[in-house]
Amino acid sequence: MEVKLWNDKREREMYDNFAELYAIIKATERLEKAYVRDIITPQEYEIECQKLIAHFKTLASTLKDTVPSIERFADTYRMECPSAINRLVVSGVPATVEHRAIAAAGTSTSAAIVAECVQNFITSMDSLKLNMVAVDQVHPLLSDLNGSLNKLTILPPDFEGKIKMKDWIARLSKMGAADELTEQQARQLHFDLESSYNSFMAALPNAGT
């Protein structure tokens, strides 16, 4: 006798999302252990960790009503993934980014600002992928990103990301709230965000240097 977990399409989608969330948490736990044991390089770890964090944030936002607490979700399914919970929920950035931030200023404040910048970059890029292209959707995200970049003193005034975000904010300010970016504009903005993000990561000093 076949037993169904769902009664309709909506319930099926919810359980599919639960399965994906479970997989992301488990994958992050394995990745954290592999990094600690030097099974993978810091570069490999950072790339994969960023992907998992980005996917997690998008999925967690979708499930915020049905899964208000990720910790409780992990407890309910007896996941025992403390490293993953710390990385995904508490930190929000790869361990390598935390290490570079601390090396940059030697303070937890700097690490927190770097984490904020990374999160704002990822959120902005994810929103464009989800076709959130209205001015009143894009403008607040870029303003938050620009604000966090300006708080990080290790970045020079002419840092690429600061200049590009300032230009985009000025351009959006001339448009109406309900106006939308064209496909070409959205593609260019995503390119500028990705380029600025890569420059941002390169600007952070390596731990121990």
Side-chain angles (χ1 to χ4, degrees):
M1 180 180 175
E2 184 180 353
V3 179
K4 286 189 175 182
L5 291 174
W6 54 83
N7 296 314
D8 53 37
K9 184 178 179 181
R10 186 175 181 180
E11 278 193 12
R12 178 174 182 173
E13 185 176 339
M14 182 185 73
Y15 281 111
D16 285 345
N17 285 334
F18 281 4
E20 188 174 349
L21 178 60
Y22 185 97
I24 289 173
I25 294 173
K26 281 292 188 181
T28 303
E29 184 73 15
R30 289 195 295 269
L31 183 65
E32 290 292 309
K33 288 180 178 178
Y35 173 61
V36 170
R37 295 169 183 169
D38 287 330
I39 296 174
I40 58 174
T41 66
Q43 292 78 12
E44 290 171 329
Y45 162 80
E46 187 169 310
I47 291 171
E48 292 306 314
C49 193
Q50 286 286 23
K51 289 179 184 177
L52 287 168
I53 290 172
H55 293 159
F56 168 76
K57 288 186 181 301
T58 301
L59 189 58
S61 177
T62 301
L63 291 172
K64 63 183 178 181
D65 293 329
T66 50
V67 185
S69 170
I70 301 299
E71 293 91 335
R72 189 175 299 172
F73 176 88
D75 288 341
T76 299
Y77 293 99
R78 300 177 181 178
M79 298 189 68
E80 298 182 0
C81 296
S83 297
I85 296 299
N86 177 67
R87 186 62 49 215
L88 297 170
V89 180
V90 180
S91 172
V93 295
T96 45
V97 175
E98 287 183 334
H99 299 161
R100 291 207 296 275
I102 293 171
T107 65
S108 59
T109 302
S110 178
I113 297 172
V114 168
E116 183 182 307
C117 290
V118 171
Q119 289 172 5
N120 286 332
F121 267 119
I122 292 173
T123 301
S124 298
M125 287 188 283
D126 279 353
S127 68
L128 293 175
K129 290 177 183 177
L130 294 171
N131 201 36
M132 296 172 61
V133 294
V135 171
D136 60 356
Q137 293 173 317
V138 179
H139 191 281
L141 297 177
L142 297 188
S143 294
D144 287 345
L145 173 57
N146 190 55
S148 59
L149 289 174
N150 285 327
K151 285 192 287 185
L152 201 58
T153 56
I154 62 170
L155 297 176
D158 61 348
F159 173 66
E160 173 189 350
K162 290 183 179 181
I163 294 173
K164 287 186 176 179
M165 291 312 104
K166 186 177 179 180
D167 288 346
W168 273 107
I169 290 170
R171 191 182 309 181
L172 293 172
S173 296
K174 296 176 182 178
M175 299 168 65
D179 290 344
E180 294 187 351
L181 297 179
T182 64
E183 183 179 346
Q184 184 178 358
Q185 288 174 324
R187 188 171 180 176
Q188 183 62 49
L189 175 54
H190 189 277
F191 177 83
D192 288 345
L193 283 165
E194 195 166 37
S195 173
S196 298
Y197 174 72
N198 291 334
S199 297
F200 171 77
M201 297 303 289
L204 297 177
N206 292 321
T209 61

